C-alpha cells in the first residue's frame, strides 16, 4: 500500500489503512511470550495497543538513511517507508521547468563551484558580497537568504521576467512577505504529512526563534528526506557555515514551511 499522504495516528478511521499497518506491524515485530504485541488486523480501530506497537517498531528500527525513527506512535512517511519499503513513499522525480529549473541551475552552479567565504567565518568574499549587495544589504551579514534572492534574480534576468521574490536578506521576512509577492506557502505540518507536496525549486524556511532563520532550495524529494542547495552553511547543516553546499535534511527538520513561485 502506498503512503496515504497524511500522518496516521490514534483515531484513524480508514479501516483499510489500519488493517495494512497492523498486518505489517505483526510481521515486523513478530514477538513471542510476555513481550508479544499481537494486533487484530480485522479490528478497524487505531487504539492505545496499536500506538504501543508503532512506538516499539520505531524504537527498534531506522529509516532508509540509517537514522533513528522518531518514537511518537504516529506513522508518517519515514515510519511508513520503514514498514513497507522505499517504493511506497513519495519520490518526487519530476524535473522542474521554467523559473524553478533556472533557479536550481544557478544554485547548483554555485555549489559545484565551491563558493566559500573569504576569509573563513567572515560572511565576506567576492560571491558572498555580491549576494548581499543584490539583496540590498551591507557586506558581512548572514547571507543564506541573500543567496536565494540572487539565484532568483539571475534566473529571472535570463528568462526576461521580473524577479518574483521579495527583496530581502531575512529568512522570516521572506516567509511573511512571500504571498504578497505571488508566492504560495506550504506549511511545515502539511509537508510532513505529505512530502509529495514538496516540489523541486521550492524555498524552505527554518525558524530558530529570536528572528533568526535559515533557508535554501529543495533540489529533489526522496521519501521523508530533502536534497537541498543552501548558502551560509556547511556539512554540519548549521545556519552560520562558510559556503554553498548540497545537503540532505529530513522533511521534519523544516519547521516553518516552503515557498513556491510560479514562472
Amino acid at each position: 500500500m502506498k503512503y496515504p499522504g497524511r500522518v496516521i495516528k490514534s483515531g484513524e478511521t480508514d479501516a483499510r489503512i489500519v488493517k495494512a499497518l497492523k498486518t505489517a506491524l505483526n510481521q515486523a515485530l513478530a514477538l513471542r511470550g510476555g513481550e508479544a504485541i499481537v494486533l487484530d488486523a480485522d479490528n478497524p480501530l487505531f487504539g492505545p495497543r496499536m500506538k504501543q506497537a508503532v512506538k516499539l517498531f520505531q524504537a527498534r528500527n531506522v529509516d532508509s538513511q540509517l537514522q533513528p525513527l522518531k518514537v511518537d506512535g504516529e506513522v508518517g512517511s519515514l515510519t511508513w517507508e520503514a514498514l513497507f519499503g522505499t517504493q511506497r513513499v513519495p519520490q518526487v522525480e519530476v524535473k522542474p521547468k521554467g523559473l524553478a529549473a533556472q533557479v536550481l541551475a544557478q544554485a547548483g552552479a554555485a555549489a559545484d563551484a565551491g563558493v566559500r567565504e573569504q576569509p573563513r567565518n567572515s560572511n565576506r568574499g567576492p560571491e558572498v558580497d555580491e549576494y548581499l549587495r543584490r539583496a540590498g544589504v551591507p557586506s558581512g551579514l548572514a547571507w543564506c537568504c541573500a543567496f536565494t534572492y540572487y539565484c532568483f534574480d539571475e534566473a529571472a534576468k535570463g528568462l526576461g521576467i521580473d524577479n518574483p521574490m521579495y527583496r530581502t536578506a531575512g529568512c522570516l521576512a521572506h516567509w511573511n512577505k512571500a504571498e504578497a509577492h505571488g508566492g504560495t506557502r506550504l506549511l511545515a505540518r502539511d509537508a510532513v504529512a505529505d512530502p509529495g507536496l514538496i516540489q523541486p525549486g521550492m524555498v524552505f524556511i527554518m525558524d530558530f526563534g529570536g528572528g533568526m532563520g535559515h533557508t535554501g532550495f529543495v533540489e529533489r524529494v526522496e521519501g521523508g528526506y530533502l536534497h537541498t542547495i543552501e548558502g551560509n552553511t556547511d556539512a554540519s547543516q548549521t545556519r552560520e557555515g562558510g559556503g554553498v553546499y548540497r545537503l540532505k535534511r529530513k522533511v521534519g527538520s523544516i519547521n516553518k514551511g516552503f515557498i513556491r513561485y510560479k514562472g
Side-chain angles (χ1 to χ4, degrees):
M1 176 180 289
K2 290 188 176 182
Y3 181 64
R6 54 190 170 84
V7 177
I8 308 303
K9 53 190 175 181
S10 295
E12 173 61 44
T13 58
D14 189 319
R16 187 174 60 96
I17 292 174
V18 172
K19 182 173 184 175
L21 282 172
K22 285 183 175 181
T23 300
L25 286 165
N26 283 338
Q27 293 173 349
L29 294 174
L31 298 177
R32 298 291 183 270
E35 289 185 304
I37 301 177
V38 180
L39 302 171
D40 180 2
D42 293 323
N43 182 338
L45 299 178
F46 188 140
R49 188 170 179 80
M50 182 173 174
K51 182 173 183 178
Q52 182 185 4
V54 172
K55 293 176 75 171
L56 181 59
F57 175 82
Q58 291 169 327
R60 295 187 169 192
N61 289 273
V62 295
D63 64 28
S64 61
Q65 305 300 315
L66 305 182
Q67 298 299 308
L69 293 167
K70 183 178 181 181
V71 182
D72 59 4
E74 298 181 356
V75 183
S77 61
L78 290 176
T79 299
W80 190 280
E81 182 178 32
L83 273 168
F84 295 104
T86 301
Q87 71 276 13
R88 303 292 183 171
V89 294
Q91 309 289 324
V92 180
E93 300 292 348
V94 177
K95 290 186 177 180
K97 299 179 181 179
L99 180 63
Q102 294 304 311
V103 165
L104 287 179
Q106 290 291 330
D112 293 341
V115 170
R116 299 291 186 266
E117 294 177 359
Q118 300 176 29
R120 295 179 64 180
N121 303 318
S122 65
N123 284 340
R124 297 294 303 269
E127 297 91 352
V128 174
D129 289 348
E130 176 58 19
Y131 300 154
L132 290 163
R133 186 196 69 79
R134 197 74 66 91
V137 297
S139 298
L141 299 179
W143 52 276
C144 61
C145 190
F147 171 66
T148 64
Y149 182 83
Y150 172 88
C151 292
F152 269 107
D153 210 38
E154 287 293 297
K157 285 181 180 180
L159 293 170
I161 62 175
D162 292 333
N163 184 350
M165 180 176 161
Y166 175 63
R167 191 186 189 202
T168 182
C171 304
L172 302 182
H174 182 203
W175 177 259
N176 292 332
K177 298 288 187 178
E179 289 186 318
H181 284 253
T184 302
R185 300 194 308 190
L186 172 63
L187 297 178
R189 65 171 182 267
D190 297 327
V192 169
D194 186 2
L197 297 174
I198 308 168
Q199 297 297 312
M202 280 185 164
V203 177
F204 71 80
I205 303 289
M206 304 171 76
D207 186 349
F208 294 95
M212 296 185 296
H214 184 62
T215 190
F217 295 105
V218 176
E219 190 168 28
R220 71 180 192 275
V221 183
E222 188 177 54
Y225 278 83
L226 306 173
H227 293 260
T228 66
I229 308 174
E230 314 169 23
N232 205 177
T233 191
D234 58 30
S236 71
Q237 302 187 353
T238 178
R239 58 172 294 276
E240 282 289 355
V244 179
Y245 287 80
R246 281 185 167 90
L247 298 176
K248 184 183 290 186
R249 295 180 180 271
K250 286 185 177 182
V251 173
S253 71
I254 309 303
N255 65 350
K256 198 70 174 180
F258 301 81
I259 301 169
R260 176 178 180 267
Y261 289 101
K262 296 180 180 179

